[in-house]
Amino acid sequence: AAAAHGQVVGADAGARQHGLVYSQFMGGLIKAGIEIDRRVLSELAISEPEAFKALCEQAKGALKKAA
């Protein structure tokens, strides 16, 4: 459970840097049809910030379309 919590914290911190809370980020990814493991998201947020930023932009775009 602690590892899963760490994964959410990493992805949440990354999402917040791009103006999204974790639930918006995850919801936006789902709406965009992007399925990705939380562990991978956390790793991307830390080691591949540009790739994570692209995912945040995809999530934002999907949320705007759904609104």
Side-chain angles (χ1 to χ4, degrees), residues 11-30:
D12 180 49
R16 286 180 187 273
Q17 288 180 344
H18 298 287
L20 294 167
V21 296
Y22 182 75
S23 60
Q24 289 174 317
F25 176 56
M26 294 305 291
L29 289 180
I30 291 167

Side-chain angles (χ1 to χ4, degrees), residues 2-61:
H5 177 71
Q7 292 161 6
V8 170
V9 170
D12 180 49
R16 286 180 187 273
Q17 288 180 344
H18 298 287
L20 294 167
V21 296
Y22 182 75
S23 60
Q24 289 174 317
F25 176 56
M26 294 305 291
L29 289 180
I30 291 167
K31 288 182 188 331
I34 299 170
E35 293 184 31
I36 190 164
D37 185 85
R38 288 185 310 207
R39 178 178 47 83
V40 174
L41 283 174
S42 181
E43 290 174 9
L44 284 175
I46 295 164
S47 61
E48 299 287 341
E50 288 301 314
F52 191 83
K53 178 182 177 183
L55 288 172
C56 287
E57 295 302 321
Q58 290 286 320
K60 284 181 185 179

